[in-house]
Amino acid sequence: MKVLGIETSCDECAAAVVEKGRDVLSNVILTQIDFHRPYYGVVPEIASRKHIEWIYQVVSTALDEAGMEIEDMDAIAVTYRPGLIGSLLVGLSFAKAMAFSLDIPFIGIDHILAHMYAAHLEADIEYPYLGLIVSGGHTILAVVKDYDKIEVLGTTIDDACGEAFDKVAKYYQLGFPGGAAIDRLARRGNSGAFRFPKPSLHKGDHRYDFSYSGLKTAVINQLDQFWNRKYPKTRENIAASFEKTAIDIILERVSRAVKDTGIERVVAGGGVVANSYLRGSLKSMFGDQVILPSMKFCTDNGAMVAGIGYHYIVNNRRSTLELNAEARVPDFRKTYP
Ligand code: KG4
Ligand code: ZN
């Protein structure tokens, strides 16, 4: 069973061919970074227009690199939510048209579940496990029970972690995309130069929740207040101190969840999981019990979409041509989706 996966939820135009949910035959990602860099953020109008220009070529290249023709595909999987609506619609409409013309099934995929699946492309992972999804739009800690079923322990009550990285990088003009720029600068900085505050969500229903707007405000508007004057106020030191605080918030909650639930296996996904301090810390805290996707499967890609799509298709679950794109997922607290 070969599935073509298409991902256009934000600024990566991506397609992949994956066999049996695991074997990645191709994984093509065309990034729009250069077009958004002048604005220090993704401009939705530019993103959807670039997807329209590129989608045909990206899908053709994915098929070529897999050594396949479109007729060799058994199904098409495509991200339909959450994301930028114009961008989502390009991939979704393209997938629907192809599936209709080839008379093969297509399935709309939730982007968050796809990020959670990414690690399964490279390892046999048994359910349940503690799942951590950290991206530009989401910060979720959950007990993952199956490819389509996660029980949410905590989520952000304001900004997402990646969003905080991007906003801090934009304010100090550290580079674009923000997360990767801060990661690079932080490697040359001292994380003790600033002692930024962490959210005080220790108890009750909120003990697994995240909050990043206070940290963002501290870094942007109250820098001097948290400055240890033994160290110079450099971009590198701001980046390192911010990164450590932002990631330690995550590490504390994962540790708490491992202790409380007794579940020792930790699997992570999403763009921020490319962060070297987060990867190193998870590895040193949880050793072999932590499973991280390689870098190319952390940020947006088509392989994770095709991979999870396989499981829907073999379970006879498919979408109809009426499926519409959705910018967000309706309010979730206990289960996802
Ligand atoms: O998963 P993703 O590609 O798109 C969304 O679904 O949001 O994640 C993008 C996010 C951005 O906020 C970006 O700044 C962040 O992932 N990111 C990083 C790193 N690489 C990407 N954050 C921290 N360190 C990185 N190395
Ligand atoms: Zn993503």
Side-chain angles (χ1 to χ4, degrees):
M1 161 90 65
K2 290 177 280 296
V3 179
L4 171 68
I6 297 177
E7 156 62 45
T8 62
S9 68
C10 192
D11 60 334
E12 316 287 3
C13 192
V17 177
V18 177
E19 192 159 18
K20 293 190 194 132
R22 176 76 190 261
D23 300 329
V24 181
L25 305 183
S26 65
N27 186 38
V28 177
I29 304 169
L30 203 51
T31 178
Q32 303 181 355
I33 285 171
D34 289 345
F35 299 92
H36 300 287
R37 182 172 286 117
Y39 310 95
Y40 270 92
V42 176
V43 182
E45 180 73 16
I46 295 175
S48 41
R49 286 174 186 272
K50 284 290 154 203
H51 285 310
I52 288 180
E53 286 172 28
W54 291 355
I55 184 82
Y56 179 81
Q57 201 51 53
V58 166
V59 170
S60 302
T61 309
L63 290 166
D64 285 350
E65 289 188 4
M68 306 265 162
E69 304 290 332
I70 185 64
E71 290 77 17
D72 298 323
M73 295 301 106
D74 298 298
I76 300 180
V78 60
T79 308
Y80 82 102
R81 76 173 191 191
L84 301 172
I85 204 80
S87 293
L88 287 165
L89 281 169
V90 177
L92 180 59
S93 307
F94 193 88
K96 279 186 189 179
M98 279 182 73
F100 179 70
S101 64
L102 295 161
D103 196 21
I104 57 174
F106 102 98
I107 175 78
I109 298 293
D110 180 294
H111 187 69
I112 303 304
L113 295 180
H115 271 307
M116 196 68 262
Y117 186 83
H120 292 257
L121 293 167
E122 300 170 295
D124 288 319
I125 310 170
E126 278 177 32
Y127 297 99
Y129 54 74
L130 283 176
L132 176 68
I133 299 149
V134 201
S135 70
H138 289 85
T139 315
I140 301 173
L141 180 60
V143 176
V144 180
K145 300 193 158 166
D146 213 334
Y147 69 94
D148 64 338
K149 196 147 100 220
I150 72 183
E151 198 178 291
V152 177
L153 296 173
T155 183
T156 181
I157 59 168
D158 41 54
D159 295 349
C161 181
E163 191 181 347
F165 272 85
D166 296 336
K167 287 182 178 163
V168 166
K170 180 175 182 173
Y171 183 82
Y172 289 108
Q173 306 211 333
L174 301 179
F176 179 80
I182 288 180
D183 194 342
R184 273 194 307 276
L185 284 168
R187 305 284 69 76
R188 305 196 304 270
N190 188 320
S191 61
F194 299 85
R195 286 185 66 86
F196 294 124
K198 287 192 207 145
S200 51
L201 299 163
H202 306 304
K203 293 189 210 126
D205 286 352
H206 284 301
R207 72 190 183 288
Y208 301 116
D209 281 337
F210 304 87
S211 164
Y212 282 99
S213 83
L215 172 59
K216 180 189 68 189
T217 305
V219 179
I220 291 176
N221 296 323
Q222 306 156 345
L223 195 61
D224 283 345
Q225 214 173 304
F226 303 102
W227 184 19
N228 179 344
R229 279 154 220 272
K230 277 198 308 205
Y231 302 100
K233 199 199 272 180
T234 60
R235 290 150 55 92
E236 288 78 5
N237 287 347
I238 294 170
S241 306
F242 161 74
E243 178 194 75
K244 178 162 166 45
T245 314
I247 299 298
D248 284 352
I249 292 170
I250 294 171
L251 299 173
E252 282 165 15
R253 278 142 187 80
V254 176
S255 291
R256 194 173 295 160
V258 168
K259 241 182 248 146
D260 291 356
T261 63
I263 300 174
E264 293 184 338
R265 194 176 313 119
V266 178
V267 182
V272 180
V273 179
N275 181 267
S276 33
Y277 174 62
L278 175 60
R279 295 177 81 86
S281 306
L282 284 173
K283 284 279 178 207
S284 63
M285 286 164 75
F286 305 110
D288 290 347
Q289 294 284 8
V290 68
I291 303 169
L292 306 175
S294 53
M295 304 286 267
K296 63 178 182 290
F297 297 134
C298 285
T299 43
D300 292 346
N301 65 85
M304 63 185 189
V305 178
I308 192 174
Y310 164 81
H311 295 273
Y312 284 93
I313 298 294
V314 292
N315 286 303
N316 240 336
R317 295 167 67 185
R318 49 196 65 184
S319 303
T320 67
L321 293 175
E322 277 79 48
L323 182 70
N324 207 345
E326 293 172 25
R328 20 183 99 253
V329 181
D331 193 34
F332 61 89
R333 282 302 304 183
K334 290 208 155 38
T335 58
Y336 187 98

